[in-house]
């Protein structure tokens, strides 16, 4: 092996692969959201940015809910967040209450009947 080839191999540094969650600076797993979107029968085609965006939205919602639940726990002089604190946080916040009310995401009715030609 010539010395030049050896030096060339030493200079070439291997780049570590970064996960999509790390690249997007998210804590939630983007790959898992992507897999669940593709396994579900929601869409035939997905952009590469779709799971990243959905993961960011989920992480934002969870962070907001946990922040409100933590404040609720502090007002009750508790250190740990319990499910009751999360429930009270969802009830006390107008926007979250509307988001999680039953029927907020209605299922589409049966597809309209298309006449056959």
């Amino acid at each position: 092996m010539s010395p030049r080839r050896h030096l060339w191999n030493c200079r070439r540094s291997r780049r570590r692969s970064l996960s999509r969650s790390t690249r997007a600076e998210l804590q939630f797993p983007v790959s898992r959201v992507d897999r669940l979107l593709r396994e579900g029968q929601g869409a035939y085609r997905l952009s590469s940015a779709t799971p990243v965006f959905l993961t960011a939205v989920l992480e934002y919602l969870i962070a907001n809910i946990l922040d409100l639940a933590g404040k609720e726990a502090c007002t009750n002089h508790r250190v740990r967040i319990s499910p009751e604190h999360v429930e009270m946080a969802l009830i006390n916040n107008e926007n979250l209450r509307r988001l999680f009310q039953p029927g907020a995401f209605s299922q589409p009715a049966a597809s309209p009947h298309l006449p056959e030609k």
Side-chain angles (χ1 to χ4, degrees):
M1 181 184 260
S2 69
R4 284 187 180 177
R5 172 168 262 165
H6 177 65
L7 289 176
W8 181 77
N9 285 337
C10 289
R11 277 185 279 173
R12 187 173 68 172
S13 63
R14 236 188 115 113
R15 229 175 138 188
R16 277 189 52 213
S17 62
L18 295 174
S19 68
R20 290 187 285 178
S21 298
T22 305
R23 276 187 246 147
E25 297 179 2
L26 296 172
Q27 300 300 315
F28 279 27
V30 174
S31 297
R32 183 176 298 173
V33 172
D34 188 18
R35 178 178 53 84
L36 292 172
L37 279 172
R38 290 184 191 282
E39 283 177 359
Q41 304 304 322
Y44 295 112
R45 297 169 60 183
L46 289 176
S47 165
S48 61
T50 301
V52 177
F53 183 77
L54 181 59
T55 306
V57 169
L58 289 173
E59 186 172 314
Y60 173 77
L61 277 174
I62 296 300
N64 197 356
I65 291 170
L66 286 177
D67 183 45
L68 293 171
K71 289 178 183 176
E72 189 69 34
C74 284
T75 58
N76 292 334
H77 306 290
R78 301 283 186 251
V79 177
R80 291 190 188 132
I81 298 173
S82 68
E84 290 81 20
H85 297 134
V86 174
E87 184 180 9
M88 290 304 297
L90 290 175
I91 290 171
N92 292 337
N93 189 310
E94 178 66 32
N95 293 330
L96 292 175
R97 181 175 48 212
R98 273 191 283 137
L99 180 65
F100 289 109
Q101 73 184 2
F105 302 104
S106 62
Q107 294 294 325
S111 61
H113 177 69
L114 298 176
E116 294 182 18
K117 292 182 182 178

